[in-house]
Amino acid sequence: LVACFVGEGARGVPLSGHVGFDSMPDQLVNKSVNHGFCFNILCVGETGLGKSTLMDTLFNTKFEGEPTQHNQPGVQLKSNTYELQESNVRLKLTVVNTVGFGDQINKEDSYKSIVEFIDTQFEAYLQEELKIKRTLHSYHDTRIHACLYFIAPTGHSLKSLDLVTMKKLDSKVNIIPIIAKSDAISKSELTKFKIKITSELVSNGVQIYQFPTDDETVAEINSTMNGHLPFAVVGSTEEVKIGNKMVRARQYPWGTVQVENENHCDFVKLREMLIRVNMEDLREQTHTRHYELYRRCKLEEMGFKDTDPDSKPFSLQETYEAKRNEFMGELQKKEEEMRQMFVQRVKEKEAELKEAEKELHEKFDRLKKLHQDEKKKLEDKKKSLDDELNGFKQKKTAAELLQAQTQQAGSSATLKKDKERKK
Amino acid sequence: MHEKLSGAKAERSIVFALPSVCVLFQQRNLEGYVGFANLPNQVYRKSVKRGFEFTLMVVGESGLGKSTLINSLFLTDLYSKDYPGPSQRIKKTVQVEQSKVLIKEGGVQLTLTIVDTPGFGDAVDNSNCWQPVINYIDSKFEDFLNAESRVNRRQMPDNRVHCCLYFIAPSGHGLKPLDIEFMKRLHDKVNVIPLIAKADTLTPEECQLFKKQIMKEIQEHKIKIYEFPDTEDDEDSKLIRKIKEKMPLAVVGSNVVIEVNGRKVRGRQYPWGVAEVENGEHCDFTVLRNMLIRTHMQDLKDVTNNVHYENYRSKKLAAVTCNGVDATKNKGQLTKSPLAQMEEERREHVMKMKKMETEMEQVFEMKVKEKKQKLKDSEAELERRHEQMKKNLEAQYKELEEKRHQFEEEKANWETQQRILEQQKLDASKTMEKNKKKGKIF
């Protein structure tokens, strides 16, 4: 972490001789040279805009890769790391290319894999930084320090894919927009093109990287160069003889475009700004701005926050403990919730079953009642039959009795008559 | 961890996988000047703009010339009439005091903090007189750790103690128990550089012996004093070896300028001569100054940051996050960040919950099945009973029907009979009537 800074609460005292601490910058520089530097560039742009060629041209070497086809199903990021050395300076350069960018019919998700890649590098660094036993000093930093955004040389304006993508990237990485294959545009068209692009970026709120103007040593050149953005570049690894020198150029029937001729294109400006003047600033901005933003968002997402800085001093231990307690509490709460949910379900189900049971009993009670009714009816019928039977019996008996009486009476009457006659 | 490949064309090798794994990267030769050789200049420029900080702690009994040495080292009146040095003040207990000054030289700004420990070793009972010193160093580490761990981080000043000059009294014999105790307790927290103070009271031979004795004792007690880093440069290595042979450095301090043989030098005037501060044959002051300020100041800061601070931090965080958990279980967890650990715990918990959920679900289903089965059985039973009752009733109905049928039949028969009888009777009475009419019969 870049700890700073000068003289808060310190009183100035004069020195009566040469102490020697003016060697501090040299001491620092020596250490960093011994340690080696690392720089990571991300090239975003449609297939065929000359990204690989430009990298080769910038670094005067041949990097990895064959040209890609246009039939990629999605946007992939391919990363290659190289060890370069120039005088005593060792540079670990990582070049990341977006393969298949802009080739799909539906480009809505094109930016996603790029954002994911950038975030992954931030995440790796964050994880390392948060480890208990960490080795930040020897950590190979893979965070993207500069994003070269390749704009197609249409001469008109930015494509909506460009605007969408740059808008998504501008808070995550230093964007340096460049007009690729700019030898396809005439000088007058180029001026108009640059103005159009710049105004579109401004009106869409896209924050591109500004070369820093706070250091007097480089303020002027940086400020001038800011006005030349986006850089119109041409890349070439082929050499053509101009005069008595071999220069990198592209040869056309109508003339030769010299890569390093500032009248022909802004290649030299790009190299100057990107590598020779502001490489360290790009690294610094990535670390102190883009990474810090990512870190802050990530920590806030996980629920960390700073205790009020005005009331009591921030204590890491307390925060971790609080966070841990909160976390444990949360877990317990979840467990409890699940249990409760089950208790609830059980209750509900029990009620349901009880209801069903009740219905069943009711049903059978009804049936029983029906049965009782039927039985009663039957009993009634039986009774009435019995009554009828009894009635009939009585009638029969009465009738028989009557008959017997009548017969007897008849016979006795006859007898009487007989008796009378006889008299 | 970074391997430097030889200049020849490198073989195709494995492309880099993980940051923490040392892998050979592909090397490329450059066919022309690119310009990143200018990076060091960019770093230089930015560092000058930022300015530098350094915190130096001086520890030793009073009267050993600490303040004078500081003033000599930095060629300034850090301690003057307005800001008197600690020895001017009488302390009953060990204090830790800091003075901050801003000094500029050659366009470079340095914020220098001098930390003093007045009262150290001056009491009769000096047990634990190192504790305030340890507390101070730890508190600076803690401040840095807290600042580093904030969610919203601002540029943090580095107030950690980068170097501790420990003043040994020039007894000529060896280290005192207090010296040993102090250095043992502090060597893990700060870069300790032991110095023989007021070296102008020792002859060169006495000094040599004294130094040897001290180094022997330091080794015996396994005290880790600040070590110079190895360099690849042969010349530097030679210099470093020379310095190492002179350890501990014997110093003399003075801000009084005296004229010696036409030269103006800083020194201490005695009746028998002048002990020159910057004369290498008189004392090791120059060695100290060069090493401390001109060549190794940055390294002292780096060692403080990469070694001492990291030690403090990992101990502190391990204590916090592995609170209450068995220490032996946590060996593997030190390589994880506390956040990652919590993430893992969270994941474990999610799995546990899932398992719990499926278990509960199973039990639930089983119970429901049981209950449903019971209900079904009970329903079947009731159905059966109902059927039976129905059948019973039906049988009775049938019986009744039969009875009725029988009865109806009987009744019908009897009625028919009765009618016949009635008819007969009627016929008979009719005939009688007829006969009666016909004549009186009998």
Side-chain angles (χ1 to χ4, degrees):
Chain A
L1 191 64
V2 176
C4 100
F5 79 102
V6 178
E8 200 182 72
R11 64 182 211 274
V13 289
L15 305 171
S16 58
H18 182 241
V19 177
F21 61 83
D22 54 351
S23 68
M24 274 298 268
D26 286 310
Q27 293 182 40
L28 184 63
V29 164
N30 285 341
K31 275 207 169 262
S32 32
V33 168
N34 280 335
H35 191 248
F37 298 90
C38 97
F39 195 70
N40 308 319
I41 302 182
L42 169 66
C43 293
V44 179
E46 293 174 17
T47 318
L49 281 184
K51 303 191 285 293
S52 313
T53 313
L54 186 69
M55 284 295 111
D56 290 349
T57 320
L58 265 175
F59 288 95
N60 276 329
T61 186
K62 182 83 186 75
F63 288 131
E64 203 60 48
E66 305 105 28
T68 32
Q69 305 303 312
H70 286 270
N71 54 2
Q72 306 292 320
V75 180
Q76 284 184 313
L77 284 95
K78 288 227 164 84
S79 151
N80 283 308
T81 307
Y82 307 93
E83 288 186 354
L84 310 174
Q85 181 157 358
E86 196 163 64
S87 86
N88 64 338
V89 177
R90 284 173 292 124
L91 178 69
K92 211 175 267 179
L93 177 75
T94 301
V95 179
V96 186
N97 234 311
T98 50
V99 177
F101 187 77
D103 280 335
Q104 299 77 32
I105 296 174
N106 183 354
K107 296 177 259 216
E108 273 182 346
D109 293 340
S110 295
Y111 71 86
K112 284 193 186 155
S113 37
I114 304 176
V115 168
E116 217 176 272
F117 183 85
I118 296 175
D119 278 348
T120 307
Q121 312 318 311
F122 282 150
E123 183 65 30
Y125 189 89
L126 180 63
Q127 285 303 322
E128 183 64 34
E129 200 185 22
L130 291 175
K131 277 191 194 164
I132 296 179
K133 269 197 167 28
R134 59 188 188 180
T135 50
L136 276 178
H137 181 64
S138 49
Y139 178 78
H140 177 217
D141 189 3
T142 57
R143 297 172 295 179
I144 302 295
H145 302 120
C147 170
L148 296 182
Y149 194 92
F150 287 68
I151 298 168
T154 61
H156 301 315
S157 62
L158 287 170
K159 299 190 184 169
S160 32
L161 174 65
D162 295 335
L163 281 169
V164 166
T165 310
M166 280 199 270
K167 195 84 179 84
K168 291 281 180 193
L169 295 179
D170 70 353
S171 59
K172 292 197 169 288
V173 72
N174 300 314
I175 300 181
I176 301 176
I178 58 181
I179 300 170
K181 295 195 166 174
S182 66
D183 52 348
I185 313 180
S186 76
K187 207 161 182 142
S188 53
E189 285 171 354
L190 192 61
T191 323
K192 277 196 230 137
F193 193 28
K194 281 193 183 185
I195 293 174
K196 189 74 172 51
I197 292 174
T198 314
S199 75
E200 279 188 327
L201 289 174
V202 166
S203 60
N204 280 281
V206 175
Q207 304 258 9
I208 57 172
Y209 175 73
Q210 294 294 304
F211 306 119
T213 49
D214 51 349
D215 187 342
E216 322 80 53
T217 339
V218 290
E220 207 182 309
I221 186 171
N222 274 346
S223 139
T224 317
M225 291 297 182
N226 276 329
H228 284 283
L229 284 169
F231 291 135
V233 293
V234 173
S236 173
T237 44
E238 278 159 21
E239 294 195 325
V240 170
K241 192 163 186 155
I242 303 277
N244 54 358
K245 274 206 311 177
M246 293 296 281
V247 294
R248 285 175 303 165
R250 286 174 62 77
Q251 196 153 49
Y252 292 102
W254 49 89
T256 309
V257 181
Q258 295 158 40
V259 168
E260 279 168 294
N261 185 331
E262 291 201 60
N263 284 327
H264 292 190
C265 73
D266 296 330
F267 173 82
V268 171
K269 295 191 175 73
L270 174 67
R271 184 180 57 196
E272 192 72 17
M273 288 292 100
L274 177 68
I275 302 177
R276 296 183 187 179
V277 178
N278 297 302
M279 195 179 239
E280 183 59 25
D281 186 70
L282 285 160
R283 283 157 39 95
E284 205 178 276
Q285 290 291 319
T286 304
H287 182 65
T288 57
R289 200 148 60 88
H290 300 296
Y291 169 69
E292 280 303 307
L293 181 63
Y294 174 85
R295 178 182 176 277
R296 186 165 63 238
C297 292
K298 197 72 202 290
L299 290 183
E300 277 173 0
E301 217 177 282
M302 302 190 75
F304 280 89
K305 44 177 185 280
D306 296 330
T307 53
D308 182 6
D310 297 325
S311 60
K312 65 174 179 163
F314 177 85
S315 163
L316 178 75
Q317 182 154 6
E318 277 176 40
T319 303
Y320 267 129
E321 277 178 5
K323 187 82 187 102
R324 191 187 177 74
N325 287 338
E326 191 190 312
F327 173 70
M328 290 310 211
E330 211 181 281
L331 295 184
Q332 275 184 343
K333 195 170 109 182
K334 281 212 175 101
E335 248 176 73
E336 211 26 63
E337 269 175 19
M338 187 163 89
R339 271 203 209 98
Q340 284 302 346
M341 189 193 71
F342 262 100
V343 167
Q344 186 64 21
R345 271 179 75 184
V346 166
K347 258 203 194 139
E348 279 175 10
K349 204 60 183 204
E350 265 183 4
E352 219 178 275
L353 289 174
K354 243 199 172 76
E355 201 45 50
E357 205 175 339
K358 191 162 133 206
E359 270 179 28
L360 185 72
H361 282 293
E362 274 178 11
K363 171 171 158 201
F364 278 101
D365 279 347
R366 271 200 308 272
L367 285 177
K368 197 160 154 196
K369 184 150 187 311
L370 274 172
H371 174 85
Q372 301 282 52
D373 290 346
E374 288 290 307
K375 199 161 173 199
K376 180 123 191 333
K377 267 208 280 201
L378 180 71
E379 294 290 311
D380 288 346
K381 275 209 175 125
K382 252 197 191 158
K383 185 148 186 312
S384 85
L385 178 67
D386 280 345
D387 286 344
E388 263 186 62
L389 238 151
N390 282 342
F392 175 68
K393 254 204 189 120
Q394 272 181 359
K395 195 167 155 196
K396 193 169 159 188
T397 326
E400 280 178 359
L401 193 65
L402 191 64
Q403 246 180 12
Q405 272 183 346
T406 328
Q407 259 188 347
Q408 207 173 38
S411 63
S412 80
T414 318
L415 218 68
K416 222 178 180 178
K417 270 198 176 121
D418 276 347
K419 237 183 186 173
E420 279 200 348
R421 259 191 307 150
K422 272 175 186 170
K423 277 188 179 162
Chain B
M1 284 197 98
H2 153 93
E3 276 216 59
K4 188 174 153 185
L5 298 175
S6 60
K9 288 254 177 353
E11 327 80 54
R12 289 286 159 118
S13 41
I14 324 160
V15 177
F16 132 89
L18 297 161
S20 54
V21 174
C22 177
V23 182
L24 293 178
F25 298 120
Q26 308 173 55
Q27 199 196 34
R28 284 291 185 276
N29 291 325
L30 307 175
E31 293 147 23
Y33 184 63
V34 175
F36 60 80
N38 206 32
L39 254 179
N41 292 340
Q42 299 178 29
V43 173
Y44 188 101
R45 180 173 34 96
K46 279 192 173 282
S47 70
V48 169
K49 187 148 203 304
R50 249 192 326 265
F52 296 87
E53 307 165 289
F54 194 75
T55 302
L56 179 65
M57 178 181 262
V58 283
V59 181
E61 298 167 10
S62 26
L64 284 182
K66 303 192 292 293
S67 314
T68 316
L69 187 72
I70 296 296
N71 282 349
S72 309
L73 273 173
F74 293 97
L75 295 176
T76 184
D77 286 330
L78 225 94
Y79 297 114
S80 59
K81 259 186 284 184
D82 301 323
Y83 299 89
S87 50
Q88 311 286 344
R89 292 160 281 162
I90 302 165
K91 300 288 175 191
K92 292 233 178 81
T93 54
V94 180
Q95 309 286 315
V96 180
E97 294 176 349
Q98 65 179 49
S99 326
K100 240 191 197 164
V101 291
L102 175 62
I103 44 182
K104 301 187 200 187
E105 192 174 66
V108 176
Q109 282 188 325
L110 176 66
T111 304
L112 179 69
T113 308
I114 303 292
V115 183
D116 250 308
T117 53
F120 181 86
D122 289 341
V124 173
D125 179 3
N126 287 309
S127 324
N128 298 321
C129 67
W130 46 81
Q131 200 56 48
V133 176
I134 292 180
N135 293 345
Y136 179 87
I137 295 176
D138 278 347
S139 83
K140 295 301 167 192
F141 280 154
E142 178 160 353
D143 290 344
F144 195 85
L145 179 60
N146 287 340
E148 188 189 34
S149 309
R150 286 177 67 90
V151 174
N152 278 303
R153 300 198 286 200
R154 287 157 258 213
Q155 286 207 300
M156 320 171 298
D158 183 6
N159 289 321
R160 299 171 292 184
V161 179
H162 301 117
C163 179
C164 174
L165 298 178
Y166 186 76
F167 287 69
I168 301 167
S171 63
H173 297 157
L175 290 174
K176 294 202 202 123
L178 177 60
D179 300 335
I180 296 169
E181 196 59 39
F182 179 87
M183 286 197 277
K184 266 168 88 168
R185 286 175 184 274
L186 272 288
H187 67 172
D188 277 332
K189 292 195 171 290
V190 71
N191 298 315
V192 175
I193 299 181
L195 302 173
I196 299 173
K198 296 202 161 168
D200 51 348
T201 58
L202 296 168
T203 66
E205 297 82 21
E206 285 170 347
C207 197
Q208 271 299 95
L209 282 168
F210 192 29
K211 284 183 179 183
K212 264 218 186 93
Q213 180 61 24
I214 291 174
M215 288 314 281
K216 184 160 149 257
E217 288 181 38
I218 281 178
Q219 268 169 12
E220 264 170 22
H221 287 94
K222 297 206 180 53
I223 295 170
K224 291 176 268 181
I225 58 174
Y226 172 70
E227 272 193 19
F228 296 90
D230 296 318
T231 53
E232 290 175 352
D233 188 42
D234 292 325
E235 256 190 54
D236 287 344
S237 303
K238 253 200 280 177
L239 275 161
I240 285 177
R241 240 176 298 132
K242 269 190 164 170
I243 296 174
K244 282 193 173 169
E245 283 165 20
K246 292 195 191 198
M247 298 287 277
L249 301 174
V251 292
V252 173
S254 168
N255 263 355
V256 177
V257 180
I258 303 165
E259 194 155 329
V260 175
N261 299 337
R263 289 178 299 134
K264 282 213 191 283
V265 292
R266 281 179 306 139
R268 291 173 62 76
Q269 174 109 64
Y270 291 106
W272 48 89
V274 174
E276 293 168 44
V277 167
E278 281 168 324
N279 187 329
E281 287 173 25
H282 294 191
C283 72
D284 300 324
F285 173 84
T286 317
V287 177
L288 174 66
R289 185 204 46 211
N290 289 348
M291 180 267 277
L292 180 65
I293 302 175
R294 297 185 185 180
T295 57
H296 286 82
M297 195 177 244
Q298 184 61 41
D299 186 64
L300 285 161
K301 289 173 69 172
D302 287 343
V303 173
T304 305
N305 184 51
N306 300 338
V307 178
H308 298 298
Y309 171 69
E310 288 298 317
N311 271 343
Y312 171 83
R313 181 182 175 276
S314 50
K315 272 196 215 128
K316 196 85 198 279
L317 290 184
V320 166
T321 56
C322 307
N323 221 348
V325 187
D326 184 16
T328 52
K329 262 207 276 176
N330 290 324
K331 284 263 170 70
Q333 288 180 334
L334 288 181
T335 51
K336 275 183 260 167
S337 70
L339 285 186
Q341 198 179 325
M342 277 208 277
E343 269 305 301
E344 206 179 277
E345 282 178 4
R346 192 187 289 261
R347 256 177 279 138
E348 273 177 21
H349 188 260
V350 166
M351 284 200 334
K352 176 173 155 209
M353 292 259 288
K354 262 210 167 77
K355 197 164 137 220
M356 204 165 84
E357 190 173 355
T358 29
E359 275 176 15
M360 281 204 203
E361 192 75 46
Q362 273 178 0
V363 169
F364 181 75
E365 288 303 314
M366 196 178 72
K367 287 242 156 87
V368 166
K369 213 161 128 194
E370 255 179 44
K371 208 77 201 264
K372 276 207 169 128
Q373 189 59 37
K374 244 177 151 178
L375 206 67
K376 228 178 168 168
D377 288 345
S378 150
E379 188 174 6
E381 175 67 26
L382 285 171
E383 279 276 345
R384 196 184 55 81
R385 258 198 269 159
H386 173 73
E387 274 308 297
Q388 208 174 44
M389 285 205 290
K390 208 159 116 186
K391 276 220 175 82
N392 207 341
L393 210 63
E394 273 175 12
Q396 283 190 4
Y397 253 107
K398 212 157 163 213
E399 213 183 285
L400 186 69
E401 280 298 306
E402 276 221 11
K403 206 168 162 189
R404 173 168 279 280
H405 188 73
Q406 251 181 6
F407 166 68
E408 293 289 323
E409 227 180 76
E410 200 182 313
K411 183 163 160 193
N413 279 346
W414 185 78
E415 281 187 349
T416 326
Q417 226 177 35
Q418 290 299 100
R419 265 203 302 279
I420 293 175
L421 273 174
E422 279 294 316
Q423 192 63 33
Q424 273 182 353
K425 222 160 86 178
L426 209 64
D427 284 343
S429 87
K430 251 195 200 141
T431 319
M432 241 168 77
E433 277 299 313
K434 225 174 53 223
N435 286 345
K436 236 187 189 170
K437 264 193 189 144
K438 261 192 196 161
K440 291 259 173 115
I441 33 174
F442 348 107

